[in-house]
Amino acid sequence: MYVILIYDINTEKNQKVLSKVFKICKKYLFHVQKSVFEGELTKSQLFKLKKELENTIRKDVDSIIIFKSRNEKWLSKDFLGKSETSTDNLL
Amino acid sequence: MYVILIYDINTEKNQKVLSKVFKICKKYLFHVQKSVFEGELTKSQLFKLKKELENTIRKDVDSIIIFKSRNEKWLSKDFLGKSETSTDNLL
């Protein structure tokens, strides 16, 4: 299935959580914009990704949305302005 | 078609662009996370939305991604951590 993941990580209290979340996402998905990742995952890969993220984020202040489409062909993508950001752009 | 819009607006130079982009998106879509909107749009609505955004953002520093799916049924959504943010949460 094709996955789009967007995170909103609170950096006021702890900067480390953001970099941990970024590194976890980069193991599974492609980084396309500051807090946006996308890519093809199997069910078990998605399960592992979610487990790692759940063990990292703070449920009361951080937020992650995962959109799933059964097939990448059913999704198209437009960019306005600056397109692919360099993947080492952490924040 | 079903649309997921994610923006990354540079606020170092000008804060007003972010609030303008937020207001434009809110006219057409539902706010689901800090910089994420989603909703059903017709082709002409999407065309208008893109025009308004293109006239607002700075092409060299701001970035907007628009994912489109022909049918909302082909997309499912998971939340980890904090779910729907209050829609007046601008930044």
Side-chain angles (χ1 to χ4, degrees), chain B residues 1 9 32 41 47-48 77-78:
Chain B
M1 81 196 88
I9 305 300
V32 287
L41 292 183
F47 181 81
K48 278 187 221 148
K77 181 169 70 173
D78 293 342

Short mmCIF file of all heavy atoms in Angstrom, two decimals, chain B residues 1 9 32 41 47-48 77-78:
data_model
loop_
_atom_site.label_atom_id
_atom_site.label_comp_id
_atom_site.label_asym_id
_atom_site.label_seq_id
_atom_site.Cartn_x
_atom_site.Cartn_y
_atom_site.Cartn_z
N MET B 1 -12.83 14.94 -6.61
CA MET B 1 -11.65 14.22 -6.18
C MET B 1 -11.30 14.60 -4.74
O MET B 1 -11.68 15.65 -4.27
CB MET B 1 -10.46 14.54 -7.09
CG MET B 1 -9.76 15.86 -6.77
SD MET B 1 -8.69 16.43 -8.09
CE MET B 1 -9.92 17.34 -9.03
N ILE B 9 5.60 26.79 4.93
CA ILE B 9 5.72 28.22 4.62
C ILE B 9 6.84 28.82 5.46
O ILE B 9 6.84 28.67 6.70
CB ILE B 9 4.38 28.95 4.89
CG1 ILE B 9 3.24 28.29 4.12
CG2 ILE B 9 4.50 30.43 4.56
CD1 ILE B 9 3.38 28.25 2.63
N VAL B 32 -6.75 19.59 9.43
CA VAL B 32 -6.65 18.39 10.24
C VAL B 32 -5.39 18.32 11.09
O VAL B 32 -5.35 17.63 12.09
CB VAL B 32 -6.72 17.10 9.38
CG1 VAL B 32 -8.12 16.87 8.89
CG2 VAL B 32 -5.74 17.13 8.22
N LEU B 41 -12.91 18.16 -3.52
CA LEU B 41 -12.97 19.35 -4.38
C LEU B 41 -13.33 18.95 -5.81
O LEU B 41 -12.96 17.86 -6.28
CB LEU B 41 -11.60 20.06 -4.42
CG LEU B 41 -11.06 20.74 -3.17
CD1 LEU B 41 -9.73 21.43 -3.49
CD2 LEU B 41 -12.05 21.76 -2.62
N PHE B 47 -8.59 24.18 -9.15
CA PHE B 47 -7.91 25.15 -10.02
C PHE B 47 -7.86 26.52 -9.34
O PHE B 47 -6.80 27.15 -9.26
CB PHE B 47 -8.64 25.25 -11.37
CG PHE B 47 -7.99 26.20 -12.33
CD1 PHE B 47 -6.88 25.80 -13.08
CD2 PHE B 47 -8.46 27.51 -12.48
CE1 PHE B 47 -6.26 26.68 -13.96
CE2 PHE B 47 -7.86 28.39 -13.35
CZ PHE B 47 -6.75 27.98 -14.09
N LYS B 48 -9.00 26.94 -8.79
CA LYS B 48 -9.07 28.25 -8.10
C LYS B 48 -8.15 28.28 -6.89
O LYS B 48 -7.42 29.24 -6.66
CB LYS B 48 -10.51 28.55 -7.68
CG LYS B 48 -11.37 29.13 -8.78
CD LYS B 48 -12.73 29.55 -8.22
CE LYS B 48 -13.86 29.18 -9.17
NZ LYS B 48 -15.12 28.85 -8.48
N LYS B 77 -7.18 6.73 6.86
CA LYS B 77 -6.36 7.65 7.65
C LYS B 77 -6.19 7.12 9.07
O LYS B 77 -7.16 6.68 9.69
CB LYS B 77 -7.06 9.02 7.67
CG LYS B 77 -6.33 10.10 8.43
CD LYS B 77 -6.96 11.48 8.19
CE LYS B 77 -8.30 11.65 8.81
NZ LYS B 77 -8.80 13.05 8.70
N ASP B 78 -4.96 7.11 9.56
CA ASP B 78 -4.67 6.75 10.96
C ASP B 78 -4.07 7.95 11.66
O ASP B 78 -3.28 8.69 11.04
CB ASP B 78 -3.63 5.62 11.04
CG ASP B 78 -4.15 4.31 10.49
OD1 ASP B 78 -5.39 4.19 10.37
OD2 ASP B 78 -3.33 3.43 10.17
#
